[in-house]
Amino acid sequence: MKKEQLNELLYQALETELGGVQVYTTALRCVVNDDLKEEWEKYLEQTTNHVQIVQDTMAKLGLDPETETPGRKVVRHIGESLVKSMEMALESGEPEAAQLVAAESIVMAETKDHLNWHLIGEAAAKAGGDTAKALKEAHEEVEDEEDEHLYHTMGWTRELWIETLGMKAVLPPPEEVKEVKTAIGAARAQHARTDML
Ligand SMILES: [Fe+2]
């Protein structure tokens, strides 16, 4: 295990979660659908907790959460860009369009977040001693929530787009109804959507 790069992963993970709080806060200004609003409120609360979890993990590993790295700056830049995208959509004054931009922004943010946590899980399995213990504890706490954030929002994004195209949408999306927590489950839910129309 390359310790420096594991540290980099954790700095990026923290920055992703911090950006996630901003992304969800802005997305909640864009949301129109009441069920989705409830989902995103829950995800915002969980993401705020993930910030704390990464900070606690860093403390256990003796890392300073304020440490700046070039990679972390890139993650911050992407988060800020997603927030700006939603603000642009809000300014255009079309609520349904802004909601779509928000949903897409969350999918982009959560794709990175999901990757981070997957890698933290992989590292936890290979690391030793206190590092493994700290990573494992954090990973176990967030894993299921990260799966939901990504796969359920992907479902929402697809169905809301379908609705705006004037076609019949499955709302809430099958990913949410079937409580999907895996990529295979998400593929199955998407495949089964026509049966739910
Ligand atoms: Fe997260």
Side-chain angles (χ1 to χ4, degrees), residues 106-171:
I106 290 174
V107 169
M108 284 187 253
E110 291 291 0
T111 299
K112 168 66 173 163
D113 204 13
H114 195 263
L115 172 64
N116 293 339
W117 283 104
H118 177 78
L119 294 170
I120 290 169
E122 295 276 336
K126 286 281 179 294
D130 291 346
T131 303
K133 188 170 178 282
L135 296 179
K136 244 174 232 156
E137 278 171 5
H139 184 256
E140 268 166 29
E141 238 182 299
V142 305
E143 190 184 22
D144 283 0
E145 292 176 359
E146 294 297 355
D147 288 333
E148 260 190 56
H149 293 183
L150 178 61
Y151 298 126
H152 295 201
T153 308
M154 282 170 73
W156 274 101
T157 308
R158 181 191 64 242
E159 298 300 330
L160 289 171
W161 253 110
I162 286 173
E163 191 180 42
T164 61
L165 287 164
M167 299 189 291
K168 208 161 183 309
V170 182
L171 291 169

Side-chain angles (χ1 to χ4, degrees), residues 7-16 18 51 54-55 58 63-80 112:
N7 295 347
E8 172 66 21
L9 174 61
L10 290 169
Y11 292 129
Q12 289 195 21
L14 177 58
E15 198 62 47
T16 307
L18 287 167
V51 171
V54 182
Q55 284 171 341
M58 284 179 160
L63 297 176
D64 175 6
E66 300 296 329
T67 301
E68 194 67 276
T69 74
R72 181 174 181 170
K73 273 189 195 159
V74 171
V75 174
R76 187 181 313 134
H77 176 80
I78 292 171
E80 286 168 355
K112 168 66 173 163

Side-chain angles (χ1 to χ4, degrees), residues 66-96:
E66 300 296 329
T67 301
E68 194 67 276
T69 74
R72 181 174 181 170
K73 273 189 195 159
V74 171
V75 174
R76 187 181 313 134
H77 176 80
I78 292 171
E80 286 168 355
S81 303
L82 293 173
V83 167
K84 266 189 203 140
S85 315
M86 287 183 267
E87 281 167 351
M88 270 172 71
L90 279 170
E91 276 165 28
S92 78
E94 286 181 52
E96 306 282 343

